[in-house]
Structures are given as structure tokens and as C-alpha cells.
Amino acid sequence: MEVIGRAAVCPRSASPLVVGVGASRGVSAGEVIGLVEATLAEAGLSPHAVAELATVEARAGEPGLLTAAGRLGVPLRGYPAEALATVEVPNPSAAPLAAVGTAGVAEAAALLAAGPGAELLVPKRKSAPHGRPAKATCAVARRPAVATSAQSGRRRPAVEPAVDRPGAGQ
């Protein structure tokens, strides 16, 4: 794993969300940002809760991805295709398998970057440019919640109370 770029602001490492991004060569920052913002909005998630973008190393140097991460104020993290290929994803595809060597980039990168116990909140979505095929996909994962024990100072999983909240799960 390699952090490819860092935004001008401090990364939001305590933020709970990671957006995995799959991209074709030459993807524009506008296409990536538009997809990420629309996906978060449709899921009722805040862009301010995003800690980082994650992708496959083979695409981590794409100017469109680097610019998108910078505009979103988060780092872009690249993972080897071999590492992404070990992550079970709900929507594997032959296209990234042929292009970069793994059947899933967006979902796998989101889950891998979010860490053990991560939850896939939004499965893979494709961008919808007018008049040409999509060049970007994204998926959103949530890092497992952790809390610090006041007595030991060690981190432990946080337990979220089971309550009905208006709008939850939409």
C-alpha cells in the first residue's frame, strides 16, 4: 500500500468513510468528483466523513484521481492488484480483471482501506457521462467504530445502540 498524494489540508484519519475508486486511463477529476459526490448524496452520507480515496496502484498516478482527491481534501491510497484480488466483492467484473489484474477495484479498495471489520455501505456505482462510456466507478465503506477505554487507554470496538433513527438505512 502506498499513499500517493496528500491534500493541502490534514487528512481526516478519524473519519469513518473510505471511497474506493476504479478508473480508466484519462479519467477526469470532474467525472470522479461528480460520481463521488452524487454517490454520497444518494446514500445520505457527508463528504466531510470521507477519510481517503483508495484505488489500485496501477491507476493511482492518474491526474484525474490525484486532482479529485486534492479537491476533496483527502489522500489517495493505492493498493497492489494482488491485494485487491484477495478481497471478496459483491460485484466482480471482467473489465478491471483484464485491465489491472483484479476483478474488483472500487469495492475491494474501499474495504481494504477501511480495514478489518469494514462494512460496504454503497456497492459499486458507475459514472454516467453523456455520450460515452463511464470511466469511473466508486464504492463506499465504513471503518469499524472504535472507542478508547478510559480505564486501560486501549482501543476497543464501540457498540452502537440499536435504535430506530429516522432516515437510517436509506
Side-chain angles (χ1 to χ4, degrees):
M1 167 196 60
E2 177 182 0
V3 176
I4 304 301
R6 290 211 181 267
V9 296
C10 293
R12 297 171 252 180
S13 58
S15 298
L17 304 180
V18 175
V19 178
V21 181
S24 297
R25 290 196 192 282
V27 69
S28 71
E31 187 169 345
V32 174
I33 291 169
L35 174 61
V36 169
E37 288 178 345
T39 299
L40 292 169
E42 288 170 15
L45 301 169
S46 170
H48 299 291
V50 175
E52 64 186 75
L53 297 186
T55 194
V56 64
E57 278 180 344
R59 295 290 189 260
E62 279 294 318
L65 289 178
L66 291 166
T67 300
R71 288 189 190 161
L72 293 167
V74 298
L76 174 64
R77 193 173 305 267
Y79 290 90
E82 299 80 22
L84 296 178
T86 67
V87 179
E88 188 174 329
V89 295
N91 300 294
S93 172
L97 182 60
V100 295
T102 179
V105 173
E107 292 168 331
L111 288 166
L112 194 60
E119 174 188 6
L120 187 64
L121 297 179
V122 181
K124 179 175 66 178
R125 303 273 170 94
K126 287 185 180 182
S127 57
H130 299 290
R132 66 168 174 77
K135 285 192 166 195
T137 59
C138 81
V140 182
R142 178 177 25 217
R143 291 178 168 150
V146 294
T148 302
S149 169
Q151 291 177 331
S152 68
R154 294 191 322 209
R155 297 178 73 167
R156 60 179 169 75
V159 178
E160 195 170 317
V163 294
D164 286 330
R165 291 174 293 185
Q170 294 180 2

